[in-house]
Amino acid sequence: VRRDEILDAAERQIRTIGYDAMSVQALQDELGVSRGAIYHYFRSKEAILEAVIERMTLAGMARLEPIAHDPDLPAVDKLQALFTVGSQWKAQRSDLLLGLLRSWYAPTNDLVRARTQAASFAMFVPLLAGIFRQGVDEGTMDLASPANAASLVAGLFTGSADVIFDLLDARLAGRIPFEDVQDFMHAYEEAIERILGLPAGSFTLIDDASLHTWFA
């Protein structure tokens, strides 16, 4: 309970002032606890960041797993729902994620980011693999190896994060038009469709409302 209280306070500070401005002292003051009480759970500010991301990732996966395991949904619908729900879930937390993003890509957080991305990859691949096997069985996906395709698509998802961050940073600074973001997303969707053997235009990576929340 105390660990979650610390993370809740950290999230509130990240939402309002950003991760860089957040301090252990401010967490102490808000919670009325000693520095030792915080360090009992987290050895550093970076460890708090990692725990915030980990908790958020697990909460997101808890939203996605029922979709992947729904026995009544066709595979293509599962795949689309997985990305639609995921993008909407992130859009609803845009204030928290925007408070994290620039700090998340700082060189000092490279190790934390690498560990977190690896953990997310390990959780996401089995969900995709199950959907892809179902798609092959239903005849809607053309794949020789659903497991390898799952790794490829998950790799696109994690590997493109840097590009998407750069697009977001450039868009918020007014250096690129919204259409540049749309072009990248369309290329991303096209790549996934080709990997899975889906008809062109049949998959949407992120719905328009969520895309506008972030970039417009």
Side-chain angles (χ1 to χ4, degrees), residues 6 23-26 28 32-42:
I6 295 170
S23 68
V24 174
Q25 182 62 54
Q28 287 179 244
V33 299
S34 68
R35 184 171 292 263
I38 293 177
Y39 283 134
H40 174 73
Y41 296 97
F42 305 104

Side-chain angles (χ1 to χ4, degrees), residues 68-122:
H69 300 307
D70 187 337
D72 298 321
L73 269 183
V76 173
D77 292 344
K78 282 185 180 181
L79 180 66
Q80 185 59 71
L82 210 67
F83 281 86
T84 299
V85 170
S87 63
Q88 291 172 349
W89 187 86
K90 289 178 181 178
Q92 291 164 2
R93 289 153 182 80
S94 59
D95 55 347
L96 173 61
L97 291 168
L98 287 171
L100 284 169
L101 273 176
R102 285 191 173 86
S103 303
W104 186 236
Y105 281 94
T108 52
N109 290 319
D110 283 349
L111 183 59
V112 171
R113 190 171 69 255
R115 283 202 302 261
T116 303
Q117 287 177 338
S120 299
F121 184 88

Side-chain angles (χ1 to χ4, degrees), residues 19-200:
Y19 171 77
D20 285 342
M22 184 189 82
S23 68
V24 174
Q25 182 62 54
L27 294 177
Q28 287 179 244
D29 295 342
E30 179 177 341
L31 295 170
V33 299
S34 68
R35 184 171 292 263
I38 293 177
Y39 283 134
H40 174 73
Y41 296 97
F42 305 104
R43 65 188 181 279
S44 64
K45 181 180 171 181
E46 291 74 22
I48 295 174
L49 170 65
E50 185 170 4
V52 166
I53 296 293
E54 179 186 30
R55 187 172 71 162
M56 186 168 59
T57 301
L58 290 173
M61 291 298 297
R63 294 287 302 275
L64 301 181
E65 286 175 347
I67 297 170
H69 300 307
D70 187 337
D72 298 321
L73 269 183
V76 173
D77 292 344
K78 282 185 180 181
L79 180 66
Q80 185 59 71
L82 210 67
F83 281 86
T84 299
V85 170
S87 63
Q88 291 172 349
W89 187 86
K90 289 178 181 178
Q92 291 164 2
R93 289 153 182 80
S94 59
D95 55 347
L96 173 61
L97 291 168
L98 287 171
L100 284 169
L101 273 176
R102 285 191 173 86
S103 303
W104 186 236
Y105 281 94
T108 52
N109 290 319
D110 283 349
L111 183 59
V112 171
R113 190 171 69 255
R115 283 202 302 261
T116 303
Q117 287 177 338
S120 299
F121 184 88
M123 288 186 284
F124 198 47
V125 167
L127 292 188
L128 290 177
I131 293 172
F132 294 170
R133 282 193 292 270
Q134 179 184 343
V136 170
D137 292 341
E138 292 171 348
T140 55
M141 296 182 183
D142 183 15
L143 297 167
S145 173
N148 287 332
S151 294
L152 284 170
V153 172
L156 279 176
F157 194 61
T158 55
S160 65
D162 292 352
V163 178
I164 292 173
F165 170 73
D166 289 341
L167 287 171
L168 179 61
D169 190 52
R171 179 68 187 137
L172 292 176
R175 296 193 301 271
I176 62 171
F178 183 67
E179 288 73 21
D180 284 4
V181 179
Q182 290 179 306
D183 288 345
F184 175 80
M185 294 302 174
H186 291 155
Y188 198 155
E189 291 163 352
E190 182 182 48
I192 291 177
E193 288 167 349
R194 290 189 177 186
I195 290 172
L196 302 181
L198 297 175

